[in-house]
Structure formats: structure tokens, C-alpha cells
Amino acid sequence: MKLPRAAALLVDFTRLLRRHDFPLSHEQVVMFLGAVRLLGPHSMDSIRQAALATLAPPVDRLSEFDALFRAFFCEEGDAVLAARSLPEEKAPVRDKGLGQDKPPEAGDTSRSGKAATAREMLNLRRFDERADDPAIGRLNKEAARALPRRRSFRKVASKDGEGLDLRRSLRRIVEHDGDVIALMRSRRKPTLRPIVLLIDISGSMKAHTADYLRYAHALTALAGKVETFTFGTRLTRITGALRRRRRDLALANASALVGDWDGGTRIGPALQSFLANPRYTALLRGAVMLVLSDGLERGDPAPMREAVARIARRAWHLAWLTPLAADPRFRPETAALKAILDYIDRLGSGGSIASLVEHTLKIGARP
């Protein structure tokens, strides 16, 4: 569907911000368009206020945000000069087209995962249909009793309940004309804990991406609340796509949603983008969070460490599952992985569906 010209211009601005490493989620872009519509684009200031309120640029990057805003919407001379003073890779460029990068050159893909390519591979990823992995069968069989649970606030009748069920007791007393036959007791009903999956789809994880998505699809069908996101150079929510019953259709829909398959890795900004959205942050309360990534972050590991620390304070269980740990000789040697060891509950193997299922079924045994 083709966007109206005014809306397309606003979307192009968010693409510009993403190209300059501002972490933005799809929901934030939608909220930005809605805010501009509510405020009315009467002036550049109203658009700027809508952008600040919904896109939430980091405080320490407000000057860069304003320079990009003026260069894009106003093309002011001082903004262009300010942009030129930035490093070349950060300099804002007004995109008068659709805001899309040029197709990547042959051999331009970063397979190491340590650096994101300047031109991302915006291609449609296709997944070969395979027979079910035996580990998926094990997950289907054991998940109902093994997945972690918590006590909900909903109460159910129980002879051995920890408290009185006043409502049912009063109803029974009324039914017996005021005679107290027996007081009813209740207990809090157990319910499955929500699960949040973050899947690294960068070039270095290409060999594992298909298995991770098959695992996520199977888990989504079994557990009540499962939210799945992918990240490479940006964060994408694919929960709705994976709720399709047929796996081939679910993976095809997910492939169409994601635009940064097999590119570079920006783990820290992706996690910060997740935390910048209040709706996503609310998902973490009492949840199990599994990050499926090799942890090969480029640049400063501080944003990744800070984001993982914030997630750990909210989630009930946080595990980082990396395919590198499938090797028994594996030791976390990168600065990023070392920085997060104090905040995660487990650094484990994510080298196969079987290892993912093994960890998933053991989470419920945690005291």
C-alpha cells in the first residue's frame, strides 16, 4: 500500500534516524505518525515535539537529532554545516526518494557479525521446509508440565487452599438459608509465565536463523504468551506472524516483516530500542527472556551491558544462548559477553534446536 505523500515524508525521516543508529521500533514510527496527525503539522516545531515525544532520542544525542531534523525538514545552512562537522558515517543525508538504501554490492555482506554493512540486505529470506526436528516433538510432549509457571491473581476453589473464598462461602450460606455448612477455601490459579524471545539474524547467525524461527513457532503454539523479536541492525516484532498454525506460512510472513536479514549486528542499540518502548518493557515483568545470539557486538559494549542490566531487573529469568557455547572449549572472551555475565542467569548453548529445548524444559525446575 502506497503511503500518502505527507506520511511518506515522515517515514523517510525515521529511516534517516535509523541509518544514524537511533534505535526505533515499528510501533514508535506508528505513534509518531499518529502524534503528528493529532497535533496537526502546523509548524516544524509541532512536528519536532511529536518526534521527541514518540521517538524518544537519547538525551546525550539531542543535538545530533536536532541537526538531522533541521537538515531533513528545513535544509537550513547551519544544520548542514553542523552535519558536516560530524564523522562521515554519521552525517545526515536528505533522502528525497523512498528512503531506501541501494542494493548491496556483491561481497558487501558482513558475515562476521562484528560490523554492520553501510547498505543493509533488504531481501526476502526464504526458508526450506524440513521435517520436524525430534527436539520439537519432545517440546510438544513435555512443555505442558515443564514450562515455568507463576501464581496468577485469579482464584479457584480448592479444599486445601491457603485462604477463605468469601464469595463462594456466602453464596453457599444463602443457599442453605443462613446455615453455615462449611466454609469454602480457594487458592491462586497457576499460569504459564510469559516468554520473550530475541533472535539475532545477523550474518554470523545465518546458519542458525531458520532453526531459531522453527523453535519460536513451536513454542508460540504451546505457551500462552510468547513474544518474539528479531534484531540485526534494527528491532522487528514478528509475534503475529508466528501465530499462524502452518509453519511454512508463519515463516514466510515473518520473512516479509524483517528487513535486515544476514546483515550486521547492533545488539546494544537493538536492546535499547526494545526498552525504549513501554509496551515491550511491560512484557518483561515476571517473564522468561531468552536471547539467541552469538553476542558479537561491534564498538562499545557499554550500551549492551546497560540494556541487559535493565532487563535483568525486570525479568524472572534471563538466559543468553549462543551457538558458540556448543563447543565444550567455549569461554566468553569478547568484551560484550564478559560485561553481561553478572546480569544473566545463564550463558548456555544455542547451537541447535535440541539445546534450546533442553534449556526451555529445565527453566521450570528453577527454585
Side-chain angles (χ1 to χ4, degrees):
M1 183 180 67
K2 187 176 181 180
L3 290 174
R5 184 176 178 182
L9 184 66
L10 299 176
V11 173
D12 286 348
F13 174 61
T14 63
R15 291 187 177 124
L16 175 65
L17 293 177
R18 279 172 170 164
R19 287 201 299 273
H20 290 81
D21 297 340
F22 282 85
L24 301 179
S25 66
H26 173 74
E27 281 73 11
Q28 285 178 290
V29 176
V30 174
M31 288 191 294
F32 173 47
L33 297 179
V36 172
R37 181 181 179 183
L38 288 175
L39 293 176
H42 302 300
S43 65
M44 287 296 103
D45 184 63
S46 64
I47 297 177
R48 178 179 177 275
Q49 293 300 324
L52 290 175
T54 56
L55 304 182
V59 176
D60 58 345
R61 299 186 65 188
L62 279 179
S63 58
E64 183 183 350
F65 176 87
D66 287 336
L68 291 169
F69 181 89
R70 293 195 301 271
F72 185 88
F73 286 107
C74 308
E75 295 184 330
E76 295 179 2
D78 59 341
V80 174
L81 290 176
R84 287 175 180 171
S85 67
L86 296 172
E88 182 177 354
E89 62 180 9
K90 300 266 185 196
V93 179
R94 174 70 182 273
D95 187 354
K96 296 183 180 180
L98 296 177
Q100 295 179 346
D101 296 325
K102 295 180 180 180
E105 302 290 343
D108 195 30
T109 305
S110 172
R111 296 188 178 275
S112 68
K114 295 181 180 179
T117 58
R119 306 184 188 102
E120 295 171 349
M121 297 181 64
L122 303 180
N123 60 320
L124 186 65
R125 178 77 182 270
R126 291 176 174 82
F127 300 99
D128 297 331
E129 186 59 29
R130 306 175 189 171
D132 282 340
D133 190 287
I136 295 294
R138 181 189 174 195
L139 182 66
N140 293 333
K141 184 177 180 179
E142 301 180 23
R145 61 179 178 80
L147 289 177
R149 298 175 181 270
R150 61 177 177 85
R151 295 194 304 169
S152 68
F153 291 101
R154 184 181 297 274
K155 294 185 178 182
V156 294
S158 173
K159 295 181 178 179
D160 302 323
E162 63 270 17
L164 292 177
D165 189 334
L166 295 179
R167 186 177 63 180
R168 290 187 175 87
S169 295
L170 289 174
R171 184 183 302 165
R172 190 166 184 179
I173 291 173
V174 170
E175 290 173 353
H176 291 80
D177 297 327
D179 293 333
V180 180
I181 305 300
L183 295 177
M184 304 291 290
R185 306 190 71 82
S186 64
R187 60 179 175 83
R188 291 169 61 178
K189 182 180 179 180
T191 185
L192 291 174
R193 288 187 177 274
I195 300 175
V196 181
L197 297 176
L198 262 65
I199 301 176
D200 187 342
I201 57 168
S202 63
S204 61
M205 298 292 292
K206 183 176 181 179
H208 304 280
T209 301
D211 283 345
Y212 287 175
L213 291 178
R214 292 184 179 95
Y215 160 77
H217 177 257
L219 190 60
T220 300
L222 293 170
K225 297 179 181 178
V226 179
E227 290 284 343
T228 306
F229 300 81
T230 64
F231 68 90
T233 55
R234 66 185 59 154
L235 183 75
T236 307
R237 180 175 179 265
I238 61 170
T239 302
L242 294 182
R243 286 176 179 159
R244 298 290 296 268
R245 178 172 297 181
R246 285 182 51 183
R247 187 174 63 189
D248 56 340
L249 295 180
L251 298 190
N253 289 348
S255 175
L257 288 175
V258 179
D260 54 339
W261 295 108
D262 310 330
T265 312
R266 296 181 184 133
I267 302 177
L271 294 179
Q272 291 186 337
S273 178
F274 179 89
L275 292 169
N277 191 317
R279 289 175 55 195
Y280 296 168
T281 306
L283 299 174
L284 294 175
R285 185 176 181 182
V288 173
M289 184 165 189
L290 305 178
V291 183
L292 314 182
S293 170
D294 54 17
L296 298 180
E297 173 67 305
R298 71 178 184 117
D300 185 7
M304 177 174 157
R305 176 181 56 79
E306 294 169 2
V308 170
R310 290 180 58 191
I311 292 172
R313 288 194 292 267
R314 292 171 171 81
W316 177 77
H317 176 84
L318 172 59
W320 197 287
L321 305 180
T322 169
L324 302 177
D327 186 342
R329 298 170 298 176
F330 168 77
R331 297 292 183 275
E333 298 293 346
T334 63
L337 285 180
K338 287 182 177 180
I340 66 172
L341 289 178
D342 291 338
Y343 305 105
I344 60 177
D345 294 299
R346 187 188 175 195
L347 177 64
S349 172
S352 65
I353 295 180
S355 62
L356 299 179
V357 170
E358 181 71 20
H359 177 78
T360 304
L361 297 179
K362 286 183 177 180
I363 299 174
R366 170 186 161 178

